[in-house]
């Protein structure tokens, strides 16, 4: 068999091949242990300068020899004229180059958020290290840096604590877990206004030992495009999640027939359907929420084995949810005048032609629209007990 | 393919033809003198002169200890001394008798372990084969142990090895052709195939290459392998090696040619396909699902063994963002205080492991365990405790080591590629590894084994022939032999 290339040509080919392959991008060799593994980044503004506070993880040695650091993280704070400048200035006082890819939480202070956050997120989207999958939170009633260094949980590393907290939150549905790309998606969409999760520092109601602060993850920050305009509290957030169909779990507390007694319904599954019909050129918005639940707690002594009692219970739960939902809709329409639910997207899908005329002033149209709320609660189980705990004996 | 086989094969081995043969003389004394002259300074040769009842002089000559002396005395010496029959063939109690007429045949006959019988006044002599079997017993080969299937392994005698094969294929189509290679050693080499299944082109090519071997000695099939293989500097084996008769049987039944060689239990099979390295005899003995799972496992082992250290180095020095954060923190923690860069660390550990492997192979078994203890302690414990290497890299090296033994024919090949990919990963990251994979693939598909594309049936591919590649389909569904190997007769089931 005749060789296609001589040995010399073959070597030249291989060398050129590798050189060409390498010339297509930047190659930057660095060892893992020389990286500053960023966990949380918090952005504040002071005197027109950006102040960046970063939690850098101190990698713990896996094996014997070294002992685990007492605090497995360091807090670095730097300032600069721009966000990127501030981040890079960390090299002036910190012994590792900050590695942005490991960042998991992005916290922005309330004051900064009110000025607009798109310009801050620009770096994260433009730079190859920053990740759009970071969770993003707004720090309420505090500087963003204040959230750092608090770990009220099992994990020593605050970034891990916050990440787990965000994930655990789906059990109450009183917050929204938003990543940067979620925000960007809503930011660029017509017909929905962005909402973000909120973190705040809470003092323990009853002081325990020295550590009294915890991070409370509850509520939502409401944005008009990239500028924050206000907050929703925990229950309002859940109502928002109900409308958007994002409720995973949670407890619906309904007043029972007896005074000062409550029944708790645990949400197993919740669905929502948003619909719209256009009548006389103005949209009629409609949302149907279906909740599958389980009786989780019964403080009264009603006979829940009675079907009528259960129907009554379902009805009162429906009313509770409906009231909460109507409440948040009213707040969005009257107080903020912003469609944070995404009704605009539904209109866009269903009436693309009319939408073109409506979209420029959609938030105004939304605020004036009539929104019908329909809630259906279905309690399918009563837990391990068939009767209330307080049943009178012999009854 | 035609071009490869364009040279017509030479039927005779020209290397063994010396000067013209000397015929035997009538006079016994002259013959004895000539034989003694040729075999001078060979103290182990016995010359037993006798006079039979008819007063004829004769000579029995053989190598002491090479022949069975009981048989010699009972079946040859006794009748010669007690009976008279001018036709010696009908006198002796042995069927392994052949007549010769030249001095060279006589001398070679003695050297091969036969008994030479020459009578006075006769120009025809006899070679009596009553050789004593000097060989170890048939055992299970160490290098290819199996759970299911035959435990027989080849031994160092080509005759015994062919019997082991005959036991499995009782067909007149099982053809055995022997030839002698090596000017001094005169090693017996047998080419074995099944007529009607074998591809005649491959067979011709095997004969051609065997006849081209010009050397004084063949001590092992490894010699033959290196003389007849396709590419001298290839890291890939292009000739199959096995110690098991059932494996050889399976391979020649698919149309391959086997090459046996006296003095070694290792038998060559050609042509070898890439995919054959991932196959074992047990794949065909166990059920389809198990066999297919094992095939995939071996494929995984192949990938891990060649790429894992390279990927580790590439990811940890260039592409940290691709490692999950929690794992990255662990790796960074483990690497803290390690003086060497990841590439040097990986190469060091790789070489350390090769050292351990080699010394473990060469050491006498009694000391072997000492090496493993020292290796485990030094590499596994002390090096990590002292902060010389990081624990994840020890895990990577250990995983690689375990995976590299899952495909025995490829162990050496994978070592070379592993070092290559570690190096590429260390200097160019994933780009280097990708380029490396590309070049290795180009090289692999360009290989041929005895005219058969090495990567067949994957490339050149055909869907029907993939039934015995990464998955092993049920035997009943493999109706045809691999057409790339078996010439025309590809039907395995049903008629002809």
């Amino acid at each position: 068999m005749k060789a296609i290339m001589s040995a010399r040509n073959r070597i030249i080919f291989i060398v050129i091949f590798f050189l060409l392959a390498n010339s297509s991008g930047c190659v930057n060799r660095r060892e893992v242990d020389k990286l500053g593994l960023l966990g949380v980044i918090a952005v504040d503004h002071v005197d027109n300068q950006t102040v960046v506070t970063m939690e850098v993880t101190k990698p713990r040695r896996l094996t014997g020899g070294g002992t685990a650091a007492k605090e497995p993280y360091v807090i670095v704070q730097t300032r600069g004229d721009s966000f990127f400048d501030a981040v890079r200035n960390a090299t002036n006082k910190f012994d590792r180059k900050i590695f942005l890819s490991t960042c998991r939480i992005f916290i922005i202070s309330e004051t900064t958020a009110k000025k607009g956050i798109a310009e801050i997120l620009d770096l994260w989207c433009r730079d190859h290290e920053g990740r759009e999958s970071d969770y993003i939170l707004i720090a309420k009633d505090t500087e963003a840096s204040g959230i750092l260094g608090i770990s009220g949980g099992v994990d020593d590393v605050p970034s891990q604590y916050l990440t787990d907290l965000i994930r655990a939150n789906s059990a109450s549905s009183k917050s929204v877990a938003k990543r940067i790309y979620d925000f960007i998606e809503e930011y660029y969409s017509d017909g929905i206004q962005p909402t973000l999760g909120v973190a705040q520092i809470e003092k323990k109601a009853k002081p325990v030992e020295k550590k009294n602060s915890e991070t409370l993850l509850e509520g939502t920050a409401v944005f008009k495009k990239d500028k924050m305009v206000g907050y929703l509290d925990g229950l309002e957030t859940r109502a928002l999640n109900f409308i958007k169909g994002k409720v995973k779990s949670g407890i619906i507390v309904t007043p029972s027939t007896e005074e000062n007694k409550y029944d708790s319904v645990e949400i197993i599954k919740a669905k929502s359907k948003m619909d719209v019909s256009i009548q006389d050129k103005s949209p009629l918005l409609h949302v149907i929420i279906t909740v599958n639940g389980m009786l989780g707690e019964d403080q009264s002594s009603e006979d829940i084995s009675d079907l009528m009692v259960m129907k009554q219970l379902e009805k009162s739960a429906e009313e509770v949810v409906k009231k909460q939902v109507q409440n948040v809709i009213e707040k969005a329409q009257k107080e903020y005048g912003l469609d944070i639910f995404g009704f605009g997207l539904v209109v866009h899908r269903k009436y693309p032609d009319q939408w073109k005329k409506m979209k420029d002033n959609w938030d105004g149209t939304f605020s004036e629209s009539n929104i019908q709320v329909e809630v259906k609660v279905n309690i399918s189980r009563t837990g391990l007990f068939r009767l209330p705990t307080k049943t009178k004996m012999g009854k | 393919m035609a071009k490869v086989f364009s040279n017509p094969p030479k039927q005779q081995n020209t290397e063994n033809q010396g000067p013209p043969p000397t015929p035997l003389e009538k006079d016994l004394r002259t013959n004895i003198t000539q034989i003694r002259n040729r075999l001078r300074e060979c103290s182990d040769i016995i010359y037993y002169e006798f006079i039979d009842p008819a007063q004829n002089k004769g000579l029995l000559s053989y190598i002491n200890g090479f022949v069975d002396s009981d048989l010699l005395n009972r079946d040859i010496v006794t009748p010669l001394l007690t009976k008279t029959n001018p036709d010696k063939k009908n006198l002796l109690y042995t069927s392994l008798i052949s007549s010769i007429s030249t001095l060279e045949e006589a001398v070679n006959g003695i050297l091969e372990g036969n008994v030479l019988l020459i009578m006075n006044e006769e120009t025809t002599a006899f070679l009596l084969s009553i050789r004593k079997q000097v060989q170890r017993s048939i055992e299970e080969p160490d290098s290819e142990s199996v759970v299911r299937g035959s435990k027989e392994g080849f031994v160092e005698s080509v005759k015994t090895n062919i019997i082991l094969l005959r036991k499995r294929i009782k067909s007149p189509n099982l053809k055995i052709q022997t030839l002698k290679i090596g000017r001094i050693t005169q090693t017996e080499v047998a080419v074995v195939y099944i007529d009607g299944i074998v591809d005649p082109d491959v067979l011709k090519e095997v004969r051609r290459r065997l006849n081209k071997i010009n050397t004084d000695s063949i001590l092992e099939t490894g010699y033959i392998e290196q003389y007849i293989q396709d590419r001298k500097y290839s890291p890939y084996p292009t000739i199959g090696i096995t110690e098991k008769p059932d494996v050889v049987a399976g391979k020649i039944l698919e149309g391959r040619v086997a090459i046996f060689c006296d003095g070694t239990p290792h038998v060559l099979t050609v042509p070898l396909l890439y995919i054959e390295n991932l196959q074992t005899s047990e794949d065909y003995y166990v059920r389809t699902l198990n066999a297919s799972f094992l095939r995939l496992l071996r494929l995984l082992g192949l990938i891990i063994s060649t790429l894992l250290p390279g990927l580790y180095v590439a990811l940890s020095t260039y592409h940290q963002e691709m490692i999950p954060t929690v794992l990255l923190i662990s790796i960074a923690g483990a690497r803290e205080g390690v003086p060497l860069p990841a590439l040097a660390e990986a190469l060091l550990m790789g070489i350390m492991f090769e050292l351990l492997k080699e010394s473990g192979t060469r050491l006498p078994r009694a000391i072997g365990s000492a090496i493993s203890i020292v290796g485990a302690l030094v590499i596994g414990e002390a090096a990590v405790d002292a902060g010389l290497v990081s624990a994840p890299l020890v895990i990577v090296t250990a995983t690689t080591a375990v995976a590299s033994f899952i495909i025995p024919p490829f162990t050496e090949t994978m070592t070379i590629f592993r070092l290559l990919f570690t190096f590429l990963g260390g200097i160019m990251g994933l780009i280097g590894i990708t380029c490396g994979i590309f070049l290795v693939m180009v090289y692999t598909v360009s290989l041929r084994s005895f005219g058969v594309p090495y990567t067949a049936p994957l490339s050149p591919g055909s869907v029907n022939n993939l039934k015995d590649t990464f998955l092993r389909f049920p035997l009943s569904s493999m109706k045809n032999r691999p057409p790339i190997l078996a010439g025309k007769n590809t039907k395995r089931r049903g008629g002809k």
Side-chain angles (χ1 to χ4, degrees), chain A residues 1-2 4 10 13-15 17-35 37-39 57-66 96 99 101-104 128-129 131 157 159-160, chain B residues 3-4 231 315-323 325-326 328-338 340-343 384-385 387 389 391-392 424 426-429 431-436 438-439 443 446 448:
Chain A
M1 206 163 46
K2 210 178 147 192
I4 303 159
R10 243 179 249 189
F13 169 77
I14 290 172
V15 169
F17 181 80
F18 277 109
L19 287 178
L20 277 179
N22 260 323
S23 61
S24 62
C26 53
V27 174
N28 188 10
R29 205 185 80 88
R30 60 215 154 156
E31 296 293 337
V32 188
D33 50 322
K34 297 285 172 271
L35 297 176
L37 304 174
L38 182 61
T57 312
K58 270 189 189 169
R60 281 164 289 186
R61 289 204 65 169
L62 286 176
T63 51
R96 297 276 195 271
F99 185 61
S101 294
T102 49
C103 181
R104 282 179 283 184
H128 66 278
E129 274 187 10
R131 282 195 174 167
V157 189
S159 62
Q160 188 61 47
Chain B
K3 196 158 188 183
V4 183
R231 294 215 189 162
L315 291 184
S316 70
T317 48
Y318 291 98
H319 316 280
Q320 290 93 352
E321 65 278 359
M322 291 179 74
I323 307 175
T325 304
V326 180
L328 185 66
I329 292 172
S330 302
I331 294 176
R335 268 199 57 82
E336 229 165 53
V338 173
L340 297 166
L343 170 61
V384 173
D385 282 352
V389 287
L424 286 178
I427 58 169
M428 279 186 283
I431 293 174
I433 290 184
T434 315
C435 293
F438 175 72
L439 286 177
Y443 175 73
S446 78
R448 271 162 185 275

Side-chain angles (χ1 to χ4, degrees), chain B residues 230-436:
Chain B
D230 286 69
R231 294 215 189 162
K232 288 191 197 85
Y233 299 108
S234 173
Y236 285 113
T238 50
I239 293 176
I241 302 162
T242 182
E243 278 189 71
K244 288 171 63 61
D246 54 332
V247 174
V248 172
K251 295 209 167 178
I252 63 173
L253 281 167
E254 282 191 334
R256 292 186 184 84
V257 179
I259 301 166
F260 288 68
C261 170
D262 211 18
T264 175
H266 293 100
V267 172
L268 306 180
T269 55
V270 292
L272 178 80
L273 305 181
Y274 185 90
I275 199 77
E276 263 178 77
N277 296 302
L278 304 183
Q279 300 168 343
T280 67
S281 61
E282 250 175 310
D283 286 358
Y284 303 94
Y285 303 157
V286 300
R287 285 186 307 279
T288 298
L289 271 182
N290 305 5
S292 300
F293 171 71
L294 289 176
R295 286 273 169 90
L296 293 176
L297 200 68
R298 272 179 226 130
L299 186 69
L300 181 73
L302 178 74
I303 294 168
I304 286 178
S305 173
T306 27
L307 291 180
L308 189 64
L311 282 178
Y312 173 80
V313 172
L315 291 184
S316 70
T317 48
Y318 291 98
H319 316 280
Q320 290 93 352
E321 65 278 359
M322 291 179 74
I323 307 175
T325 304
V326 180
L327 181 61
L328 185 66
I329 292 172
S330 302
I331 294 176
R335 268 199 57 82
E336 229 165 53
V338 173
L340 297 166
L343 170 61
E345 210 187 341
L347 288 175
L348 184 81
M349 286 299 288
I351 288 165
M352 195 67 202
F353 167 66
E354 294 301 322
L355 283 177
L356 264 179
K357 196 174 87 180
E358 186 60 17
S359 65
T361 321
R362 301 294 159 224
L363 266 178
R365 224 162 267 185
I367 322 174
S369 58
I371 283 297
S372 46
I373 291 167
V374 168
L377 282 179
V378 170
I379 296 192
E381 290 282 332
V384 173
D385 282 352
L388 293 176
V389 287
S390 60
L393 198 88
V394 174
I395 296 166
V396 164
T397 311
T399 313
T400 310
V402 171
S404 73
F405 288 116
I406 207 167
I407 312 166
F410 265 172
T411 306
E412 313 301 318
T413 312
M414 288 189 295
T415 304
I416 295 169
F417 284 137
R418 188 187 316 140
L419 289 175
L420 175 79
F421 282 120
T422 310
F423 192 69
L424 286 178
I427 58 169
M428 279 186 283
L430 280 184
I431 293 174
I433 290 184
T434 315
C435 293

